Amino acid sequence: MDLVQAIKERKSIRAFKPDQVHRETIKEILELAMRAPSWANTQPWEFAVATGEKLKTIQEAFIKRGGAAMQNSQSEVPRPYEFPEPYITRIHKMQAREMRGRTTEMKPEEMEERMIINFRNYGAGTCIYLLMSKNYFFQEKGVNCWGMYDSGAAVQNIMLLAADRGLGTIAQAMAVVYPDIIHEVLEISSDKLIALCIAIGYPDWDNEINKDFRDREPFDTLVKFYGY
Ligand SMILES: Cc1cc2nc3c(=O)[nH]c(=O)nc-3n(C[C@H](O)[C@H](O)[C@H](O)COP(=O)(O)O)c2cc1C
């Protein structure tokens, strides 16, 4: 697939077919994705790939713990709790589209159901967890965001390479809100932080939710040219 087409066609997939992605395919995607640039070629990313019973154990443990997952997130990468303008308006715009014309608030049962679907990784058969060494991320003088630029580039590569292969992905903060569960099930040492989950699988294109397309802000509100 042409790069421009992959960028245009990639979108977050929220309904997957149960089929597992072959280990070799994931390996090939990760090998290429790690061509991403990084600070002085430090390559701070690491990945843990889970499928089958291991992934099911994680999903069930998340569901059992339940709770207002996002609000009570124990995620190892500090999450944003404040959304000043213009970000909150963008979130509201997205939520309004998701409600598809419905004006009533989401009921608690609906919120719970949504959380469970997230915890089940939208039905994806495989999850790629992004890890980073805690001693590189948390430093004496503050949080080292730079390693996340590097890792973010690798994550976008994963998503575009997946699109190229007819696979779908979704980055999920929700799937790392209880990192202790992932540490335990995958036996990941406590000196690594579990930064993000990227669910990967075969999109169920018949599901209405995958017809959703999230547009972007008008170009001129975000970009300014100088000296032209
Ligand atoms: C770091 C990160 C975390 C995300 N976490 C979640 C999540 O937990 N659940 C979810 O449904 N979508 C999650 N998303 C997907 C975003 O909502 C999505 O990327 C955004 O709305 C734009 O839509 P698009 O990816 O289809 O273009 C996450 C995206 C990123 C980059």
Side-chain angles (χ1 to χ4, degrees):
M1 189 188 278
D2 166 61
L3 176 64
V4 174
Q5 194 187 347
I7 291 171
K8 283 184 172 168
E9 288 189 8
R10 184 223 58 86
K11 61 179 186 175
S12 295
I13 294 301
R14 291 190 173 80
F16 291 89
K17 292 180 181 165
D19 315 59
Q20 225 175 63
V21 183
H22 202 273
R23 183 182 167 138
E24 276 309 304
T25 308
I26 301 278
K27 184 174 177 231
E28 196 184 271
I29 288 175
L30 288 177
E31 256 176 353
L32 287 166
M34 290 190 286
R35 292 297 310 157
S38 61
W39 181 299
N41 207 18
T42 40
Q43 305 159 68
W45 49 71
E46 285 179 51
F47 298 100
V49 187
T51 190
E53 280 311 307
K54 287 281 183 195
L55 183 57
K56 253 190 219 134
T57 307
I58 294 171
Q59 292 169 341
E60 292 312 315
F62 267 65
I63 292 165
K64 198 166 158 211
R65 193 165 305 172
M70 252 317 177
Q71 286 72 22
N72 301 324
S73 173
Q74 293 151 21
S75 109
E76 290 170 309
V77 177
R79 60 149 292 181
Y81 283 94
E82 291 162 29
F83 296 93
E85 290 296 351
Y87 313 110
I88 191 66
T89 298
R90 290 180 196 160
I91 292 175
H92 288 155
K93 224 192 272 178
M94 181 201 79
Q95 287 168 338
R97 277 191 58 146
E98 270 188 345
M99 301 285 274
R100 293 185 169 76
R102 208 181 97 176
T103 48
T104 48
E105 289 260 306
M106 226 191 253
K107 295 187 198 123
E109 325 69 274
E110 286 175 284
M111 302 276 276
E112 174 85 9
E113 194 188 331
R114 229 190 135 114
M115 189 179 68
I116 291 173
I117 297 169
N118 245 291
F119 285 169
R120 287 203 204 283
N121 308 107
Y122 296 104
T126 308
C127 281
I128 301 173
Y129 295 97
L130 167 70
L131 318 179
M132 196 186 290
S133 285
K134 282 185 185 162
N135 65 0
Y136 189 55
F137 186 67
F138 298 108
Q139 306 204 348
E140 221 167 87
K141 290 191 173 171
V143 166
N144 163 27
C145 300
W146 296 83
M148 283 298 171
Y149 294 155
D150 310 341
S151 300
V155 167
Q156 176 73 348
N157 278 350
I158 293 173
M159 293 177 158
L160 295 178
L161 288 159
D164 175 60
R165 284 154 178 75
L167 294 164
T169 53
I170 181 164
Q172 284 188 281
M174 272 286 267
V176 294
V177 289
Y178 303 135
D180 59 303
I181 293 173
I182 303 164
H183 277 287
E184 191 186 319
V185 177
L186 303 185
E187 296 175 50
I188 295 167
S189 60
S190 58
D191 58 339
K192 306 279 176 208
L193 63 80
I194 295 163
L196 186 66
C197 169
I198 302 112
I200 183 165
Y202 295 91
D204 176 359
W205 292 118
D206 294 332
N207 193 312
E208 274 299 306
I209 202 161
N210 283 338
K211 303 204 162 66
D212 191 21
F213 184 81
R214 297 185 176 178
D215 45 21
R216 298 296 190 260
E217 292 297 301
F219 184 86
D220 292 337
T221 61
L222 300 174
V223 182
K224 287 196 176 27
F225 291 96
Y226 299 89
Y228 272 85

